[in-house]
Amino acid sequence: MEKVDYDLIIIGGGPAGLTAGIYAARARLNVVLFEKLVPGGQILVTDWIENYPGFPEGISGVDLVGKMADQAKRLGLKIESNEVVSLNLSGKVKKINLDSGMVTAHAVILATGAHPRKLEVPGEDAFYGRGISFCATCDGPFYRNKTVAAVGGGDTAVQETLFLTKFARKVYLIHRRDKLRAAKILQERALANEKIEFVWNSVITHIGGSDGLDKIFVKNVKTGEEKELAVDGCFIWVGILPNTGFLGDSVKLDEYGFVIANNNMETSVPGVFAAGDGRNTPLRQVSTAVGDAAIAAFSAEHYIESLKN
Ligand code: NAP
C-alpha cells in the first residue's frame, strides 16, 4: 500500500467534524482534523441549544462545542488550524492542499458545514457590521432598548428573534409568507411575546441610513404596498448555503451544492465521506450532524481496514 501521511483527514471542526474525530481517535486511526479558524462552526453563533439530549436546561453553542473539542483532544485527536485550498480525491491516495503545503490520506471526511444566506438587497453589504448582522449572540447585546428587524420564518429566525427580545425594546419579524416554518414550540413562544411584531407576507427591498443603518424598506408581496420602518439594526436569518465551493467537481453535489452521501455517509468517490450541514440531509441539527459523523467515521474505518487487508 502506498505510504500516506494520515489514515484519515477530517475537514471542518464543527459538531460533525469533532464527533468524527472522537470516533476515529477511539478507533486508533492516524487522524488529523483541519479547521480554517477555530473549532465550532455555525454553532458558535447559536445562543442556546435546548434540543440536544443530555442537557436538561439547554446549553450555549460555545459551551457545547467547547466540550466536544475537549473530549476529542483528550482522546487524542490532532486539531490543526489550516485552510484546505484545493484537493484531489480521485486516486486511492487523497491529496489535500493546505495553506502550508500538501498532505495525503487514505480517507477523507468532509464536514465543512454551511453559512448564512444573504438577502441580496441594496444596503445589505454596505451596512454589514454597522447594523446588519447574522448573529444574535454576537450582536444582540448592542441593541438594548432599541428597535430591530429580523428576517425569516425558520427555526433560526424565530429562535434568535426570541433571544433578541432579551435586549431589544421591539423586534419586527419580517417573513415572506403568513406562516412560520419554525418548530411549533418556537412559534408558540414568538406569537406570545409582546415585544415581537410580525410583518407578514413581506420582504425587505432596501436597507438605508446615513451614518449607521436607521431604516429598512419593506414591501408586502400580496398587496404591493411599501413602507419604511425605522430600526437600529437588522438581523438576517433566511437559510443556509453549503461550504463546498473548495470541492469543485471532486465529489457529486446536489443542485444546491450540498454533498450527496448515502446512508453510510459515502460520497460518489470511494474513501470520501460526508457529515453534517454540508451534506444533502432533510434536517440540519447538532444531533443529526453528530449522528452522521459517527457513521462517517465508522464507514471510513472499515474502508481503511479494507485497503490494509
Ligand atoms: P430554513 O429552515 O431554510 O428557513 C429559512 C427561512 O428563510 C424560511 O422561513 C424561508 O421562507 C426564509 N427565506 C429563504 N430565502 C428567503 C429570502 N430570499 N427572503 C426572505 N425570506 C427567505 O433555515 P434556518 O432557519 O437557518 O434553519 C436551517 C436548518 O437548521 C434547519 O434544518 C433548521 O431546522 C435547523 N435549525 C434548528 C434549530 C433548532 O432546532 N432549535 C435552530 C436553528 C436552526 P419560507 O418559509 O417561505 O421558505
Side-chain angles (χ1 to χ4, degrees), residues 113 254 258-263 265 274-282 284 292:
D254 72 7
F258 292 91
V259 179
I260 296 174
N262 64 16
N263 286 346
M265 304 302 142
D277 284 2
R279 183 174 87 85
N280 64 328
T281 170
R284 295 189 168 84
D292 276 7

PDB file of all heavy atoms in Angstrom, residues 113 254 258-263 265 274-282 284 292:
ATOM      1  N   GLY A 113     -19.771  22.031   6.752  1.00  0.00           N
ATOM      2  CA  GLY A 113     -20.943  22.789   7.184  1.00  0.00           C
ATOM      3  C   GLY A 113     -21.498  23.762   6.152  1.00  0.00           C
ATOM      4  O   GLY A 113     -21.361  23.564   4.939  1.00  0.00           O
ATOM      5  N   ASP A 254     -25.508  18.128  -4.866  1.00  0.00           N
ATOM      6  CA  ASP A 254     -26.876  18.247  -5.358  1.00  0.00           C
ATOM      7  C   ASP A 254     -27.056  19.619  -6.015  1.00  0.00           C
ATOM      8  O   ASP A 254     -26.110  20.415  -6.093  1.00  0.00           O
ATOM      9  CB  ASP A 254     -27.908  17.958  -4.245  1.00  0.00           C
ATOM     10  CG  ASP A 254     -27.997  19.062  -3.205  1.00  0.00           C
ATOM     11  OD1 ASP A 254     -27.365  20.134  -3.390  1.00  0.00           O
ATOM     12  OD2 ASP A 254     -28.698  18.878  -2.190  1.00  0.00           O
ATOM     13  N   PHE A 258     -24.972  20.954  -1.935  1.00  0.00           N
ATOM     14  CA  PHE A 258     -24.702  20.090  -0.778  1.00  0.00           C
ATOM     15  C   PHE A 258     -24.131  18.752  -1.281  1.00  0.00           C
ATOM     16  O   PHE A 258     -24.531  18.254  -2.339  1.00  0.00           O
ATOM     17  CB  PHE A 258     -25.987  19.850   0.029  1.00  0.00           C
ATOM     18  CG  PHE A 258     -26.495  21.084   0.732  1.00  0.00           C
ATOM     19  CD1 PHE A 258     -27.410  21.931   0.120  1.00  0.00           C
ATOM     20  CD2 PHE A 258     -26.028  21.425   1.990  1.00  0.00           C
ATOM     21  CE1 PHE A 258     -27.858  23.088   0.743  1.00  0.00           C
ATOM     22  CE2 PHE A 258     -26.474  22.576   2.632  1.00  0.00           C
ATOM     23  CZ  PHE A 258     -27.386  23.410   2.015  1.00  0.00           C
ATOM     24  N   VAL A 259     -23.208  18.168  -0.484  1.00  0.00           N
ATOM     25  CA  VAL A 259     -22.564  16.913  -0.896  1.00  0.00           C
ATOM     26  C   VAL A 259     -23.578  15.768  -0.822  1.00  0.00           C
ATOM     27  O   VAL A 259     -24.256  15.603   0.202  1.00  0.00           O
ATOM     28  CB  VAL A 259     -21.367  16.582   0.035  1.00  0.00           C
ATOM     29  CG1 VAL A 259     -20.716  15.256  -0.378  1.00  0.00           C
ATOM     30  CG2 VAL A 259     -20.344  17.707   0.025  1.00  0.00           C
ATOM     31  N   ILE A 260     -23.652  14.988  -1.876  1.00  0.00           N
ATOM     32  CA  ILE A 260     -24.560  13.836  -1.879  1.00  0.00           C
ATOM     33  C   ILE A 260     -23.855  12.659  -1.207  1.00  0.00           C
ATOM     34  O   ILE A 260     -22.743  12.285  -1.593  1.00  0.00           O
ATOM     35  CB  ILE A 260     -24.962  13.462  -3.323  1.00  0.00           C
ATOM     36  CG1 ILE A 260     -25.751  14.626  -3.942  1.00  0.00           C
ATOM     37  CG2 ILE A 260     -25.770  12.168  -3.348  1.00  0.00           C
ATOM     38  CD1 ILE A 260     -26.082  14.448  -5.411  1.00  0.00           C
ATOM     39  N   ALA A 261     -24.498  12.124  -0.160  1.00  0.00           N
ATOM     40  CA  ALA A 261     -23.936  10.952   0.524  1.00  0.00           C
ATOM     41  C   ALA A 261     -25.080   9.988   0.848  1.00  0.00           C
ATOM     42  O   ALA A 261     -26.212  10.416   1.084  1.00  0.00           O
ATOM     43  CB  ALA A 261     -23.213  11.373   1.800  1.00  0.00           C
ATOM     44  N   ASN A 262     -24.756   8.695   0.868  1.00  0.00           N
ATOM     45  CA  ASN A 262     -25.796   7.687   1.153  1.00  0.00           C
ATOM     46  C   ASN A 262     -25.908   7.448   2.671  1.00  0.00           C
ATOM     47  O   ASN A 262     -25.308   8.173   3.466  1.00  0.00           O
ATOM     48  CB  ASN A 262     -25.509   6.399   0.368  1.00  0.00           C
ATOM     49  CG  ASN A 262     -24.205   5.745   0.814  1.00  0.00           C
ATOM     50  OD1 ASN A 262     -23.666   6.062   1.888  1.00  0.00           O
ATOM     51  ND2 ASN A 262     -23.684   4.846  -0.001  1.00  0.00           N
ATOM     52  N   ASN A 263     -26.662   6.403   3.050  1.00  0.00           N
ATOM     53  CA  ASN A 263     -26.880   6.137   4.479  1.00  0.00           C
ATOM     54  C   ASN A 263     -25.599   5.807   5.236  1.00  0.00           C
ATOM     55  O   ASN A 263     -25.553   5.916   6.460  1.00  0.00           O
ATOM     56  CB  ASN A 263     -27.857   4.960   4.668  1.00  0.00           C
ATOM     57  CG  ASN A 263     -29.263   5.379   4.347  1.00  0.00           C
ATOM     58  OD1 ASN A 263     -29.550   6.578   4.246  1.00  0.00           O
ATOM     59  ND2 ASN A 263     -30.148   4.409   4.176  1.00  0.00           N
ATOM     60  N   MET A 265     -22.911   7.415   4.649  1.00  0.00           N
ATOM     61  CA  MET A 265     -22.183   8.692   4.501  1.00  0.00           C
ATOM     62  C   MET A 265     -21.105   8.609   3.430  1.00  0.00           C
ATOM     63  O   MET A 265     -20.168   9.407   3.401  1.00  0.00           O
ATOM     64  CB  MET A 265     -21.558   9.159   5.849  1.00  0.00           C
ATOM     65  CG  MET A 265     -22.563   9.293   6.953  1.00  0.00           C
ATOM     66  SD  MET A 265     -23.882  10.440   6.542  1.00  0.00           S
ATOM     67  CE  MET A 265     -25.286   9.599   7.275  1.00  0.00           C
ATOM     68  N   ALA A 274     -19.084  12.122   3.967  1.00  0.00           N
ATOM     69  CA  ALA A 274     -19.569  13.466   4.300  1.00  0.00           C
ATOM     70  C   ALA A 274     -20.443  13.383   5.544  1.00  0.00           C
ATOM     71  O   ALA A 274     -21.080  12.353   5.806  1.00  0.00           O
ATOM     72  CB  ALA A 274     -20.368  14.043   3.136  1.00  0.00           C
ATOM     73  N   ALA A 275     -20.475  14.475   6.316  1.00  0.00           N
ATOM     74  CA  ALA A 275     -21.291  14.503   7.537  1.00  0.00           C
ATOM     75  C   ALA A 275     -21.676  15.939   7.865  1.00  0.00           C
ATOM     76  O   ALA A 275     -20.911  16.867   7.600  1.00  0.00           O
ATOM     77  CB  ALA A 275     -20.485  13.911   8.705  1.00  0.00           C
ATOM     78  N   GLY A 276     -22.883  16.093   8.400  1.00  0.00           N
ATOM     79  CA  GLY A 276     -23.285  17.399   8.934  1.00  0.00           C
ATOM     80  C   GLY A 276     -24.048  18.267   7.944  1.00  0.00           C
ATOM     81  O   GLY A 276     -24.586  17.799   6.950  1.00  0.00           O
ATOM     82  N   ASP A 277     -24.046  19.583   8.236  1.00  0.00           N
ATOM     83  CA  ASP A 277     -24.885  20.530   7.489  1.00  0.00           C
ATOM     84  C   ASP A 277     -24.515  20.668   6.016  1.00  0.00           C
ATOM     85  O   ASP A 277     -25.332  21.132   5.221  1.00  0.00           O
ATOM     86  CB  ASP A 277     -24.791  21.931   8.124  1.00  0.00           C
ATOM     87  CG  ASP A 277     -25.587  22.038   9.399  1.00  0.00           C
ATOM     88  OD1 ASP A 277     -26.180  21.024   9.826  1.00  0.00           O
ATOM     89  OD2 ASP A 277     -25.625  23.144   9.975  1.00  0.00           O
ATOM     90  N   GLY A 278     -23.304  20.284   5.638  1.00  0.00           N
ATOM     91  CA  GLY A 278     -22.882  20.419   4.244  1.00  0.00           C
ATOM     92  C   GLY A 278     -23.341  19.258   3.377  1.00  0.00           C
ATOM     93  O   GLY A 278     -23.107  19.240   2.176  1.00  0.00           O
ATOM     94  N   ARG A 279     -24.004  18.281   4.009  1.00  0.00           N
ATOM     95  CA  ARG A 279     -24.483  17.098   3.288  1.00  0.00           C
ATOM     96  C   ARG A 279     -25.936  17.317   2.861  1.00  0.00           C
ATOM     97  O   ARG A 279     -26.645  18.108   3.476  1.00  0.00           O
ATOM     98  CB  ARG A 279     -24.396  15.902   4.249  1.00  0.00           C
ATOM     99  CG  ARG A 279     -24.786  14.581   3.667  1.00  0.00           C
ATOM    100  CD  ARG A 279     -24.519  13.475   4.670  1.00  0.00           C
ATOM    101  NE  ARG A 279     -25.634  13.264   5.578  1.00  0.00           N
ATOM    102  CZ  ARG A 279     -26.676  12.485   5.287  1.00  0.00           C
ATOM    103  NH1 ARG A 279     -26.780  11.888   4.131  1.00  0.00           N
ATOM    104  NH2 ARG A 279     -27.636  12.318   6.183  1.00  0.00           N
ATOM    105  N   ASN A 280     -26.391  16.583   1.856  1.00  0.00           N
ATOM    106  CA  ASN A 280     -27.811  16.681   1.471  1.00  0.00           C
ATOM    107  C   ASN A 280     -28.640  15.894   2.485  1.00  0.00           C
ATOM    108  O   ASN A 280     -28.687  14.679   2.456  1.00  0.00           O
ATOM    109  CB  ASN A 280     -28.034  16.146   0.051  1.00  0.00           C
ATOM    110  CG  ASN A 280     -27.736  14.668  -0.069  1.00  0.00           C
ATOM    111  OD1 ASN A 280     -26.863  14.160   0.632  1.00  0.00           O
ATOM    112  ND2 ASN A 280     -28.437  13.985  -0.932  1.00  0.00           N
ATOM    113  N   THR A 281     -29.226  16.585   3.401  1.00  0.00           N
ATOM    114  CA  THR A 281     -29.931  15.940   4.510  1.00  0.00           C
ATOM    115  C   THR A 281     -31.227  16.702   4.773  1.00  0.00           C
ATOM    116  O   THR A 281     -31.283  17.918   4.545  1.00  0.00           O
ATOM    117  CB  THR A 281     -29.024  15.944   5.782  1.00  0.00           C
ATOM    118  OG1 THR A 281     -29.784  15.530   6.911  1.00  0.00           O
ATOM    119  CG2 THR A 281     -28.446  17.323   6.070  1.00  0.00           C
ATOM    120  N   PRO A 282     -32.283  16.007   5.207  1.00  0.00           N
ATOM    121  CA  PRO A 282     -33.552  16.719   5.412  1.00  0.00           C
ATOM    122  C   PRO A 282     -33.569  17.591   6.667  1.00  0.00           C
ATOM    123  O   PRO A 282     -34.451  18.430   6.824  1.00  0.00           O
ATOM    124  CB  PRO A 282     -34.580  15.586   5.543  1.00  0.00           C
ATOM    125  CG  PRO A 282     -33.799  14.399   5.957  1.00  0.00           C
ATOM    126  CD  PRO A 282     -32.415  14.564   5.411  1.00  0.00           C
ATOM    127  N   ARG A 284     -31.031  19.783   9.569  1.00  0.00           N
ATOM    128  CA  ARG A 284     -29.686  20.238   9.944  1.00  0.00           C
ATOM    129  C   ARG A 284     -29.678  20.656  11.405  1.00  0.00           C
ATOM    130  O   ARG A 284     -30.050  21.775  11.740  1.00  0.00           O
ATOM    131  CB  ARG A 284     -29.230  21.372   9.016  1.00  0.00           C
ATOM    132  CG  ARG A 284     -29.073  20.887   7.613  1.00  0.00           C
ATOM    133  CD  ARG A 284     -28.423  21.838   6.652  1.00  0.00           C
ATOM    134  NE  ARG A 284     -28.088  21.107   5.440  1.00  0.00           N
ATOM    135  CZ  ARG A 284     -28.934  20.878   4.434  1.00  0.00           C
ATOM    136  NH1 ARG A 284     -30.156  21.361   4.485  1.00  0.00           N
ATOM    137  NH2 ARG A 284     -28.566  20.160   3.400  1.00  0.00           N
ATOM    138  N   ASP A 292     -24.579  11.636  11.802  1.00  0.00           N
ATOM    139  CA  ASP A 292     -23.891  11.471  10.505  1.00  0.00           C
ATOM    140  C   ASP A 292     -22.418  11.150  10.730  1.00  0.00           C
ATOM    141  O   ASP A 292     -21.854  10.274  10.079  1.00  0.00           O
ATOM    142  CB  ASP A 292     -23.832  12.821   9.749  1.00  0.00           C
ATOM    143  CG  ASP A 292     -25.073  13.146   8.967  1.00  0.00           C
ATOM    144  OD1 ASP A 292     -26.069  12.419   9.081  1.00  0.00           O
ATOM    145  OD2 ASP A 292     -25.024  14.164   8.240  1.00  0.00           O
TER     146      ASP A 292
END
